[in-house]
Every structure is written in C-alpha cells, then in structure tokens.
C-alpha cells in the first residue's frame, strides 16, 4: 500500500547534509514513543531482513543509545547515538558514530550529527530530520553504503508499526 503522506529525501552536497521529511498517520505521542523507547526503536530502525538490537539506552541529554544492526547471518554492525538535546515531543539531536560493541568509536568511519524535529496535527505527525556530515567524503561514503535505501526502508517499517498499534 503506497502512502499519500509526505516523504522527501534530499541530499545537499554544498553543505554535506541529508534532509528527510516524512509524515506518519499517527499522533505525536505515538510517533515520539517509537523514537524514544528502545523496544519500539528495535522494531523499525533496521531495513529488513536486518534488525536493530539495543544494548544500552539512556534517553537523557548526554546519554547514549548503543545498538547493533543484526544481519540475517547474525552478523552485527555497531553504532551509537550520543544525545545532545531533547525537548519532549519536539526535538531530539544526537551525534552518530560507528563503534564497537562497547561503544568505542571507529574513527575510520564517517560520523554525523542528527537533528530531528517533530510536529503533529490531527493525527498526522511530521518528522523533519537533518543529518550533517563533516565532509563531502563522509556524505559520499554514507550514500554509497546505501543510506537512502536503508533509511527509507526503516521509515516504511515505522509507518507499518504505527498502523499496527
């Protein structure tokens, strides 16, 4: 089923950003929960057949979400989000990095800074995501890893989860 809700994915090579705007057929409380509760995040974050598995989740400013993307052969690729700002049901920002299972950053892999803004009206919630990369090489590397396709699949999973709740 193809949604009629807004979905935009824009890459701006001039300032090394990705901007994603997506509307979801749910109230802001439900959408916020799917971004802020690890049991719900794990259900949608990874593109199928992969899945997300949270190891640690401290949803506070200065806290960390440490998780693995787990593949069909049970291979794990670790990442972490270090929460910078949280404004209840309005904003989450975090520094994103590839890491090992203990949260030690892999400096050879590109990191980014995410800013996620939530707005809701009449059981439609818009999520506006800006992902800032340090360099054009980092942006290029992430795009070549299939970020657009993978993140789009994850957001589709999120819509399915919200419709099933």
């Amino acid at each position: 089923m193809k949604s009629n809700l807004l979905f935009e994915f824009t890459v701006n090579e001039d300032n090394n950003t990705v901007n994603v705007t997506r509307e979801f057929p749910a109230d802001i409380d439900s959408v916020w929960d799917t971004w802020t509760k690890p049991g719900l995040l794990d259900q949608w974050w990874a593109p199928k057949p992969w899945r997300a598995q949270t190891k640690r989740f401290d949803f506070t400013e200065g806290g960390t979400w440490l998780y693995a993307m787990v593949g069909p052969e049970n291979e794990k690729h670790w990442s972490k989000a270090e929460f910078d700002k949280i404004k209840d049901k309005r904003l989450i920002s975090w520094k994103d990095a590839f890491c090992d299972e203990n949260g030690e950053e892999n400096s050879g892999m590109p990191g980014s800074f995410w800013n996620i803004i939530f707005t809701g009206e009449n059981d439609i919630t818009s999520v506006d995501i800006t992902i800032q990369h340090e360099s054009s090489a980092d942006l290029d590397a992430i795009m070549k890893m299939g970020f657009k396709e993978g993140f789009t699949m994850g957001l589709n999973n999120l819509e399915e989860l919200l419709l099933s709740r």
Side-chain angles (χ1 to χ4, degrees), residues 41-54 67-72 74-77 157:
L41 261 169
D42 284 351
Q43 292 180 53
W44 70 267
W45 187 254
K48 294 172 186 167
W50 291 70
R51 62 185 173 82
Q53 180 180 348
T54 296
Y67 66 94
M69 296 285 237
V70 183
N74 215 33
E75 65 272 33
K76 293 182 180 179
H77 297 279
N157 294 342

Side-chain angles (χ1 to χ4, degrees), residues 1 34 39 67 73:
M1 175 176 105
T34 62
Y67 66 94
E73 312 283 317

Side-chain angles (χ1 to χ4, degrees), residues 44-49 148-158:
W44 70 267
W45 187 254
K48 294 172 186 167
K148 179 178 184 178
E149 297 78 9
F151 194 55
T152 298
M153 291 171 71
L155 293 174
N156 290 340
N157 294 342
L158 174 51

Side-chain angles (χ1 to χ4, degrees), residues 125-145:
T125 299
S126 179
V127 181
D128 185 36
I129 306 156
T130 302
I131 306 164
Q132 178 71 53
H133 295 274
E134 288 186 26
S135 68
S136 58
D138 286 357
L139 174 61
D140 189 52
I142 288 295
M143 296 310 290
K144 284 181 177 168
M145 285 181 209

